Amino acid sequence: MLAELGSCLLLAVALLGPGPRARAMKGVKCGGVLSAPSGNFSSPNFPGLYPYNTECSWLIVVAEGSSVLLTFHAFDLEYHDTCGFDFLEIYNGAAGDQGNLLGRFCGQVPPPPFTSSWHILSVIFHSDKHVASRGFSAGYQKDACGGVLTGLSGVLTSPGYPDHYPNDAECRWVIRAAGPATVKLVFADFQVEGSAECAYDYVAVLGAPGPARGHRFCGGARPPALVSRGFELQVVFKSDFNIGGRGFKAYFFSGECQEVYTAVRGNFSSPHYPSAYPNNVRCHWTIRLPPGYRVKLFFLDLELEGPNSLTKTCDFDHLAAFDGASEEAPLLGRWCGRHLPPPVTSSRSQLLLLLRADRSTSSRGFSVAYIGVVPMNVSCSRMDFQILISTQALAPLGRTQVYLGSRRCAAQEVDGTFRIQARFDTCGTESQRRNNTSVIVSTLYIDFSAGGQEDVHQYEVLCEPRRKEASVRLLSGSDWLGPYAATAEHLQEAPPGDEAEALPGPAALVAQDTSDIVFLGLCILAGVLMVMAIVVLMLL
């Protein structure tokens, strides 16, 4: 009798209950920490229907210095065009930080293989209260060779790095930019068996400008920084049956986390600014101006994780500026916390700004502005100004776009140099008193206007005639620098020798101040004339 009653109940449930794709339990416990070198996991009930209203979180943790390769064996989640109902999220590191999100997936197309950029990877499964499917099955393994790398930044290494890589290895990484951006690849270390045309072991980079077969590298020389033509870059590592090396380590940057600026002035900020920047990122911004320029960087806002309480140094999140285009260039400064640094100036035409964030504690970030500094040789006598600027520093401009006071006092171009020599009674000069000292002041204009867009930079040129000391500072053309607009001091010197030739000919003429000689000559002449006049009067 009991058996018959049970059969009737089952039949009633089958007839009156919901359809087969809705026969799922409500939320269950799931997820956990996966710490073995490799393993498998799946959605609850797989390959049966997953439950409603469920959220599972798996944290995959492998040995420090290793990476995680995640692959999917099966995938079937409720489809939505933005995956707004049921979905799977994959994070490069701990979940919850959108800057670490590698992707959100649903439907029946499985996600591609993903390789973490450090030793932690998170997977979140979410289902709502309607429609259930079979779910997913996935596997992971430590120190995998190849995979898909996405996000703002990350790192890839040869198998076993920094130990020798194995023989007969073949790895392929696909690096995809975060958003509509390019990918920048920078090698931090490189040692691969060398050979003619890299026929044995090599690293090939596909998708960067160059030969159709891509750039192939081997030996001990570190490859140059490479930037993709589009939003994707492929890196292939191949080793043959003998002779190995330490391998390679490379960083990639994309989206808001890398950019190259070539305009004379500009501004940029940390990812997501003024919201908190992501954890575990390494970002590169390069300012690259024409030879002869210097780069002056102004900090408009700074809020990073504070310094180490024990060492009082920036051991965690920090911002660093380098006097060149790479981290091997001299360090201009390293900052953290909330103290706003003073402006810094490069000694050459390139400057690199690097943001390094660790795995915890993020803040608002930073905002900076920069302007191209025009190195110039400014001097004065008791009667005139002399200004010399290398034409290499102002390569796009003609001499009439460089003038003192008004366009009637335009520069002359002499042997690769813009030269202005103006008496104190011309070219808009005027006498002023500053700090109880008489000075002569004029305005130097450099007109960068192009395409109907007015862009004229003005510099105050000042001379103290008694001491014959000259100085120059930026007056305008940089209103966007906020409180720094009126105090953006310029360099007053010749261009550095490694970027521009020494100023020819006219520089020697400027260095010779003949005003004192002229003055003495006039005095002697006046004395002679006076003596002659006295003699003539006596004779009369």
Side-chain angles (χ1 to χ4, degrees):
M1 182 181 286
L2 288 173
E4 290 177 1
L5 182 59
S7 299
C8 291
L9 288 172
L10 287 173
L11 180 61
V13 169
L15 292 173
L16 300 175
R21 292 185 66 81
R23 278 191 233 119
M25 300 180 298
K26 255 191 163 177
V28 297
K29 284 188 176 182
C30 55
V33 178
L34 307 174
S35 57
S38 63
N40 297 285
F41 61 100
S42 61
S43 53
N45 302 338
F46 182 86
L49 303 181
Y50 51 75
Y52 303 131
N53 291 334
T54 298
E55 184 147 326
C56 311
S57 177
W58 290 271
L59 185 67
I60 305 171
V61 183
V62 296
E64 186 92 23
S66 302
S67 60
V68 180
L69 173 65
L70 179 68
T71 54
F72 288 85
H73 312 311
F75 194 83
D76 181 11
L77 273 64
E78 177 189 5
Y79 175 77
H80 179 254
D81 55 356
T82 62
C83 296
F85 303 144
D86 299 352
F87 58 80
L88 190 77
E89 289 183 331
I90 303 169
Y91 289 84
N92 183 29
D97 188 340
Q98 290 302 307
N100 292 338
L101 180 64
L102 298 177
R104 174 184 277 202
F105 305 93
C106 62
Q108 295 184 322
V109 178
F114 279 103
T115 301
S116 67
S117 63
W118 55 307
H119 72 292
I120 296 177
L121 190 142
S122 301
V123 179
I124 305 294
F125 168 71
H126 171 86
S127 67
D128 63 5
K129 60 184 179 180
H130 302 290
V131 186
S133 297
R134 289 192 319 120
F136 73 91
S137 172
Y140 74 92
Q141 63 183 98
K142 173 175 100 55
D143 279 338
C145 180
V148 177
L149 301 171
T150 62
L152 291 175
S153 70
V155 62
L156 62 155
T157 62
S158 52
Y161 177 87
D163 297 327
H164 275 42
Y165 53 79
N167 295 326
D168 296 317
E170 185 167 349
C171 313
R172 182 180 295 269
W173 294 269
V174 177
I175 307 172
R176 290 182 182 146
T182 57
V183 177
K184 181 179 181 181
L185 185 69
V186 178
F187 287 88
D189 190 18
F190 196 87
Q191 187 190 58
V192 174
E193 178 191 4
S195 63
E197 298 185 0
C198 299
Y200 305 133
D201 299 356
Y202 61 84
V203 174
V205 182
L206 314 173
R213 65 180 179 88
H215 298 265
R216 184 178 284 194
F217 305 99
C218 62
R222 196 167 48 195
L226 297 167
V227 179
S228 65
R229 285 189 297 260
F231 65 91
E232 185 173 288
L233 202 64
Q234 295 187 45
V235 180
V236 178
F237 170 67
K238 177 76 170 65
S239 66
D240 63 4
F241 61 91
N242 67 354
I243 306 178
R246 187 171 63 248
F248 72 91
K249 179 180 182 179
Y251 295 102
F252 72 86
F253 312 91
S254 73
E256 300 174 85
C257 221
Q258 68 87 23
E259 190 57 82
V260 177
Y261 297 94
T262 57
V264 175
R265 65 184 187 183
N267 57 281
F268 54 92
S269 55
S270 51
H272 306 167
Y273 178 86
S275 299
Y277 52 83
N279 291 321
N280 197 47
V281 293
R282 186 184 180 96
C283 301
H284 262 205
W285 295 272
T286 303
I287 303 169
R288 183 179 300 144
L289 301 182
Y293 274 99
R294 313 285 181 86
V295 180
K296 189 148 193 175
L297 188 71
F298 301 87
F299 297 86
L300 307 180
D301 188 20
L302 182 72
E303 185 180 309
L304 305 178
E305 182 181 1
N308 188 320
S309 59
L310 297 177
T311 64
K312 306 300 181 183
T313 56
C314 298
D315 298 332
F316 309 128
D317 299 358
H318 62 266
L319 190 66
F322 296 89
D323 193 8
S326 72
E327 295 177 54
E328 283 70 46
L331 182 68
L332 292 172
R334 178 173 167 140
W335 308 277
C336 59
R338 298 185 178 186
H339 179 67
L340 204 62
V344 295
T345 305
S346 68
S347 67
R348 57 197 71 193
S349 62
Q350 298 189 85
L351 183 145
L352 171 67
L353 196 66
L354 181 144
L355 172 67
R356 182 70 177 94
D358 61 14
R359 302 163 196 164
S360 63
T361 312
S362 63
S363 299
R364 186 169 67 242
F366 73 87
S367 175
V368 298
Y370 75 89
I371 190 167
V373 171
V374 179
M376 57 185 72
N377 189 330
V378 179
S379 61
C380 67
S381 69
R382 291 183 176 178
M383 297 183 298
D384 60 12
F385 281 113
Q386 300 92 23
I387 303 170
L388 297 175
I389 306 174
S390 169
T391 55
Q392 189 179 16
L394 299 175
L397 305 185
R399 67 174 190 84
T400 57
Q401 292 170 279
V402 182
Y403 52 94
L404 187 68
S406 69
R407 292 189 184 271
R408 290 177 298 175
C409 293
Q412 299 300 313
E413 190 171 351
V414 182
D415 295 331
T417 304
F418 286 129
R419 181 174 185 263
I420 296 177
Q421 186 158 2
R423 293 178 57 87
F424 288 159
D425 58 354
T426 61
C427 300
T429 56
E430 62 178 22
S431 178
Q432 298 181 4
R433 287 194 66 83
R434 297 190 182 179
N435 298 324
N436 296 320
T437 303
S438 294
V439 295
I440 305 297
V441 179
S442 188
T443 303
L444 174 70
Y445 297 87
I446 301 181
D447 189 350
F448 292 96
S449 302
Q453 184 72 31
E454 184 176 357
D455 185 12
V456 181
H457 294 195
Q458 301 175 26
Y459 309 89
E460 180 186 74
V461 181
L462 182 146
C463 175
E464 189 177 339
R466 289 178 57 190
R467 296 184 180 181
K468 291 174 286 186
E469 292 179 353
S471 63
V472 59
R473 70 185 180 95
L474 183 67
L475 285 178
S476 65
S478 57
D479 300 336
W480 45 277
L481 292 178
Y484 289 116
T487 59
E489 295 296 330
H490 256 312
L491 296 182
Q492 181 200 322
E493 58 185 356
D498 61 344
E499 294 194 41
E501 296 294 332
L503 293 174
L509 295 176
V510 170
Q512 298 174 355
D513 181 8
T514 60
S515 61
D516 290 339
I517 298 173
V518 172
F519 179 74
L520 289 173
L522 291 173
C523 289
I524 292 169
L525 180 60
V528 171
L529 292 174
M530 185 177 294
V531 171
M532 291 175 63
I534 292 171
V535 171
V536 170
L537 287 173
M538 289 177 65
L539 290 174
L540 293 175

